[in-house]
């Protein structure tokens, strides 16, 4: 393996992102709502789900050379990436240093936390990993779905992992799944996380349907994306899936708690992203951006797919051992995949007053019809509209504060501020301070 220098980077800015799954879909938990566990059925029987040294080296070399940026960001997920063992990630950072050409490298690492110990956390602290810890709330809520292979709840182990992360001062955020029961538990969940000292939170709606003939042909129990479905099944929602209205209720309840005392102190991903939208920037989260296709998933064997939610044979882009990332991400097929997010929006969405905040949401969730019968409406639309209508007056006030050079957190002092008209998304001022009040540049915060 030869040393790579900064001068070898491809010309022009590269903003694409790779979600890397070194252990594939394997996990030591058996969370009832997990959509990724069954991806094991898409690989050959007897597959060894571990990234080889050759794939790791090729990936890091090609990715660093493709990123003509001051800093290089890697993301590690699963399955459960700790199953690769700590030595694998020691090797990761060594290879990254070899190819980064002196540029700083940032690693994010999503985990269920059950395998974390002092050695892992010391490593994360020393190498400045950003850890995403999956925890759904207090024990009786978390253990409802997040269980191990024996059906035993994982809360105690996850809670201990959170304490270890705090002990070692590892930067971390929490990833909390929002299920059918969550709307009634929203305040309890938010306050529990806050009481544990969590200051960065993400809330993820669980939206899954029963599989139809197209899914069953692949051996899958959950529904495939809308464009692949066979339409021989009513696509009934799974019993743990959050309802559209329920997700809106959940977000509204959490927002009302947050805006009273926590603006600028607790950072909730979706609130920060939407504040940037109300400030006239295109939302920095792929779910709400106009187009997608710049965030791909790479499996343990080097196979690259259009998106983490689109790991299906039809969305296979190639293998890192055979193609460059640029070839795959800027291929005709992937560019069309990304453009379809906007191009395929139904008229109902294009005429919506909150289009600037939502842009139709994730294509994987666009499987219902509009009131006029047009296909392609996001399942969560009613919930999003409920949430956006509720936060609109406050978001306008916070946007006004930001546009007048004041932090959004001043909303808690003033209560009111002159409300500007609802914005339309424009170019993000990526080097400006993020409107969420974190003190970071937009490109380092909500614009990531």
């Amino acid at each position: 393996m030869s040393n790579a220098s900064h001068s070898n980077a491809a010309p022009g800015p590269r903003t694409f992102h790779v979600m890397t799954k070194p252990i594939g879909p394997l996990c030591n938990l058996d969370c009832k709502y997990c959509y990724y566990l069954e991806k094991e059925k898409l690989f050959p029987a007897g597959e060894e789900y571990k990234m080889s040294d050759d794939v790791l080296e090729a990936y890091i070399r090609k990715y660093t050379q493709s990123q003509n940026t001051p800093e290089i960001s890697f993301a590690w997920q699963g399955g459960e990436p700790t199953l690769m063992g700590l030595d694998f990630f020691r090797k990761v950072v060594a290879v990254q240093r070899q190819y980064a050409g002196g540029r700083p490298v940032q690693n994010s690492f999503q985990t269920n936390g059950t395998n974390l110990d002092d050695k892992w956390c010391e490593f994360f602290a020393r190498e400045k990993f950003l850890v995403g810890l999956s925890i759904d709330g207090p024990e009786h809520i978390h253990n409802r779905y997040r269980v191990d292979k024996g059906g035993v709840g994982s809360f105690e182990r996850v809670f201990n992992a959170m304490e270890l992360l705090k002990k070692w001062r590892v930067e971390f955020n929490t990833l909390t799944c929002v299920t059918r029961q969550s709307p009634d538990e929203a305040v309890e969940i938010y306050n529990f996380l806050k009481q544990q000292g969590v200051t960065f939170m993400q809330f993820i709606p669980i939206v899954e349907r029963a599989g139809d003939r197209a899914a069953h042909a692949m051996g899958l129990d959950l529904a495939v994306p809308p464009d692949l479905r066979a339409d021989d099944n009513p696509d009934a929602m799974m019993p743990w899936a959050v309802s559209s209205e329920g997700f809106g209720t959940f977000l509204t309840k959490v927002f009302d708690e947050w805006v009273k005392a926590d603006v600028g102190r607790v950072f909730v991903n979706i609130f920060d992203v939407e504040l940037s939208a109300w400030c006239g920037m295109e939302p920095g989260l792929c779910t709400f951006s106009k187009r997608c296709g710049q965030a791909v998933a790479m499996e343990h064997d080097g196979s690259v797919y259009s998106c983490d939610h689109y790991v299906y044979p039809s969305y296979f882009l190639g293998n890192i051992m055979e193609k460059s990332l640029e070839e795959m991400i800027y291929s005709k097929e992937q560019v069309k995949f990304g453009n379809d997010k906007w191009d395929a929006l139904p008229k109902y969405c294009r005429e919506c007053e909150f289009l600037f905040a939502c842009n139709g949401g994730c294509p994987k969730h666009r499987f219902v019809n509009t009131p006029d019968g047009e296909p392609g409406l996001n399942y969560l639309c009613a919930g999003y509209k409920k949430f956006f209508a509720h936060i609109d007056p406050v978001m306008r006030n916070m946007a006004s504060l930001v546009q007048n050079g004041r932090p959004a957190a001043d909303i808690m002092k003033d209560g009111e501020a002159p409300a500007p008209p609802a914005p339309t998304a424009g170019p993000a001022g990526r080097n400006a301070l993020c409107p969420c009040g974190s003190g970071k540049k937009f490109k380092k915060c909500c614009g990531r």
Side-chain angles (χ1 to χ4, degrees):
M1 294 185 289
S2 60
N3 289 324
S5 68
H6 185 74
S7 61
N8 288 334
R14 300 295 182 186
T15 58
F16 59 79
H17 176 77
V18 181
M19 184 176 289
T20 319
K21 298 174 178 289
I23 196 71
L26 297 193
C27 188
N28 59 327
L29 294 187
D30 195 18
C31 301
K32 297 175 185 177
Y33 52 52
C34 182
Y35 72 95
Y36 216 81
L37 289 175
E38 69 174 6
K39 300 291 184 184
E40 187 176 347
K41 298 174 184 176
L42 299 179
F43 293 93
E47 178 90 1
E48 183 180 4
Y49 293 92
K50 284 195 172 184
M51 183 173 287
S52 70
D53 290 350
D54 288 343
V55 171
L56 177 67
E57 189 273 340
Y59 166 54
I60 292 177
R61 171 170 50 82
K62 291 183 178 183
Y63 183 69
T64 53
Q65 291 176 355
S66 73
Q67 301 294 298
N68 190 10
T69 53
E71 181 179 273
I72 307 169
S73 297
F74 288 84
W76 307 93
Q77 201 187 43
E80 173 49 43
T82 58
L83 295 179
M84 287 297 294
L86 186 50
D87 284 344
F88 174 83
F89 287 97
R90 291 189 178 117
K91 189 181 304 175
V92 163
V93 296
V95 179
Q96 287 173 340
R97 289 191 183 102
Q98 180 179 358
Y99 287 107
R103 287 175 287 172
V105 174
Q106 182 182 64
N107 287 283
S108 59
F109 188 98
Q110 186 171 330
T111 177
N112 61 39
T114 57
N115 289 331
L116 296 192
D117 57 18
D118 283 302
K119 289 183 179 179
W120 274 103
C121 292
E122 187 273 335
F123 171 79
F124 290 148
R126 185 179 69 249
E127 301 298 342
K128 296 181 170 57
F129 271 51
L130 169 63
V131 175
L133 180 68
S134 295
I135 183 168
D136 284 354
E139 184 169 10
H140 66 282
I141 294 174
H142 178 94
N143 282 348
R144 183 183 292 141
Y145 295 114
R146 299 194 65 81
V147 297
D148 63 19
K149 304 297 184 183
V152 177
S154 60
F155 176 82
E156 186 175 344
R157 286 170 285 170
V158 177
F159 188 85
N160 288 339
M162 184 163 56
E163 294 302 301
L164 283 171
L165 292 169
K166 290 188 284 188
K167 169 188 168 182
W168 285 95
R169 298 184 179 180
V170 176
E171 186 178 357
F172 74 97
N173 57 41
T174 53
L175 309 167
T176 299
C177 291
V178 181
T179 63
R180 184 164 296 275
Q181 297 90 344
S182 299
D184 293 331
E185 303 162 340
V187 174
E188 182 182 5
I189 292 169
Y190 177 72
N191 285 333
F192 167 80
L193 295 173
K194 198 169 74 165
Q195 287 161 8
Q196 308 316 311
V198 177
T199 54
F200 290 86
M201 307 176 187
Q202 294 186 46
F203 295 108
I204 303 165
I206 297 297
V207 178
E208 294 294 345
R209 301 166 290 152
D212 66 355
R213 179 164 45 90
H216 296 155
M218 294 184 231
L220 304 177
D221 295 323
L222 300 177
V224 294
D227 58 319
L228 298 182
R229 62 196 255 189
D231 285 323
D232 65 348
N233 185 288
D235 289 328
M237 300 305 296
M238 300 302 283
W240 22 258
V242 67
S243 69
S244 178
E245 287 277 353
F247 188 54
T249 297
F250 177 90
L251 293 177
T252 296
K253 288 181 178 180
V254 173
F255 182 85
D256 287 348
E257 289 294 304
W258 173 79
V259 81
K260 286 189 296 189
D262 297 329
V263 182
R265 300 187 184 99
V266 175
F267 301 93
V268 179
N269 179 261
I270 190 171
F271 302 163
D272 295 345
V273 167
E274 291 307 336
L275 178 55
S276 70
W278 258 262
C279 286
M281 303 174 182
E282 182 173 337
L285 185 67
C286 67
T287 304
F288 298 132
S289 63
K290 276 190 175 182
R291 303 180 190 278
C292 58
Q294 299 294 97
V296 297
M298 191 181 82
E299 275 287 345
H300 59 289
D301 61 355
S303 299
V304 178
Y305 295 85
S306 293
C307 170
D308 179 52
H309 288 280
Y310 282 78
V311 177
Y312 300 97
S314 299
Y315 295 95
F316 172 71
L317 299 175
N319 192 287
I320 195 68
M321 301 300 288
E322 300 165 357
K323 291 183 176 181
S324 70
L325 286 163
E326 294 96 327
E327 283 182 272
M328 293 183 273
I329 290 172
Y330 298 113
S331 66
K332 179 178 66 175
E333 294 79 12
Q334 183 67 358
V335 169
K336 182 180 185 303
F337 172 82
N339 287 339
D340 282 349
K341 184 175 192 288
W342 177 260
D343 296 343
L345 272 180
K347 180 181 177 183
Y348 181 78
C349 293
R350 295 180 186 275
E351 295 177 348
C352 177
E353 62 179 313
F354 296 119
L355 178 62
F356 73 93
C358 169
N359 289 309
C362 180
K364 179 76 180 291
H365 297 160
R366 296 181 185 176
F367 53 82
V368 299
N369 293 338
T370 70
D372 298 328
E374 189 178 358
L377 184 65
N378 196 301
Y379 166 80
L380 294 171
C381 175
Y384 283 143
K385 291 182 81 169
K386 176 180 181 177
F387 171 60
F388 294 147
H390 180 80
I391 68 174
D392 181 57
V394 179
M395 283 295 185
R396 292 191 190 207
N397 288 337
M398 286 198 288
S400 179
L401 288 167
V402 171
Q403 290 159 2
N404 283 285
R406 296 172 60 189
D410 279 358
I411 192 74
M412 297 182 297
K413 300 177 187 175
D414 298 356
E416 294 290 339
T424 55
R430 293 184 59 74
N431 287 307
L433 288 177
C434 191
C436 74
S438 66
K440 298 180 181 179
K441 289 183 179 181
F442 175 75
K443 66 183 180 182
K444 292 280 191 178
C445 192
C446 299
R448 286 183 58 192

